[in-house]
Amino acid sequence: MKKYIAHITPLNADKIGCEAHGTAEFTEDGDKLHVKVEMFDTPKNIEHWEHFHGFPDGKEAHVPTMAQDKNHDGFIDLPETEEVSGTTMVPLDDAPQDMNIPHDGYPVADEKGHYEYEIDVPLKKLQAKFKDAFGSEDFQLDKRVVYVHGVPKDLELPDTVGGCVMSYDAHTTLPIAAGKIEEV
């Protein structure tokens, strides 16, 4: 059995009006990957996309800082995270093993901005999809970063904030928190 944890800290907090934080735990145990995420102080009553990001070549991923705000608009948007965190890899949604990123199957925060997400993922299915996408069955979790995304549609974002994915705009994809995954 292998265990990993990420201490998730706020991103873009001064711009979105809340300091989203929490933890993500990953346990590889036999034929399953158990994932548990608990978040506090997220934008309330909305869905929050959550994923782990990384580099397919195994390069170490890191949590972004304001140094990644390349257009100096005061926001670290999804495209700006790629330099240090790589690409979106596995969704933490209703079926991570399907690796279906853009859809409505993610946790929804309650009226206090809290949510808990917990799931057992069939390891073989996820490894097969991961290998198809990234060329390896090895998730290398200790080289990945967990992201939580999503702000209310009525939050005014400058036109410079990017991150549209299919029909989802930057309100859905704006990172609100991130944490480096470490082996326990």
Side-chain angles (χ1 to χ4, degrees):
M1 180 180 352
K2 285 186 175 181
K3 287 187 149 198
Y4 303 85
I5 192 165
H7 298 284
I8 303 170
T9 58
L11 286 177
N12 295 309
D14 58 331
K15 299 291 185 184
I16 65 173
C18 62
E19 295 198 16
H21 64 280
T23 57
E25 298 172 8
F26 302 85
T27 307
E28 290 181 20
D29 188 12
D31 63 352
K32 71 180 181 201
L33 175 65
H34 182 80
V35 182
K36 181 179 180 183
V37 179
E38 185 170 19
M39 292 298 298
F40 301 90
D41 300 322
T42 68
K44 59 186 177 180
N45 298 318
I46 66 167
E47 182 178 54
H48 292 287
W49 285 14
E50 50 184 21
H51 315 91
F52 69 75
H53 293 219
F55 295 96
D57 65 2
K59 177 180 154 185
E60 190 90 16
H62 299 279
V63 173
T65 66
M66 286 310 291
Q68 277 65 61
D69 179 20
K70 298 299 183 194
N71 60 8
H72 307 289
D73 63 2
F75 288 88
I76 303 168
D77 61 25
L78 182 60
E80 290 171 329
T81 68
E82 291 176 7
E83 176 185 353
V84 295
S85 301
T87 189
T88 302
M89 294 184 127
V90 174
L92 305 177
D93 62 359
D94 55 1
Q97 69 276 7
D98 294 339
M99 290 180 51
N100 180 14
I101 308 291
H103 72 105
D104 294 323
Y106 292 90
V108 175
D110 66 16
E111 66 280 351
K112 294 180 180 174
H114 173 261
Y115 71 84
E116 289 184 45
Y117 163 87
E118 193 163 4
I119 194 167
D120 286 325
V121 184
L123 202 49
K124 296 273 184 236
K125 280 185 162 184
L126 180 56
Q127 286 171 323
K129 282 281 196 177
F130 195 81
K131 184 174 183 175
D132 287 347
F134 303 111
S136 171
E137 290 183 353
D138 186 359
F139 306 128
Q140 298 181 42
L141 286 171
D142 58 342
K143 293 185 177 184
R144 311 300 184 201
V145 172
V146 172
Y147 275 90
V148 176
H149 308 264
V151 296
K153 293 285 183 201
D154 62 357
L155 180 69
E156 193 170 323
L157 297 175
D159 293 340
T160 53
V161 174
C164 292
V165 177
M166 294 175 53
S167 64
Y168 298 93
D169 71 7
H171 290 89
T172 302
T173 66
L174 187 71
I176 61 168
K180 176 81 172 93
I181 302 173
E182 299 174 341
E183 190 167 0
V184 178

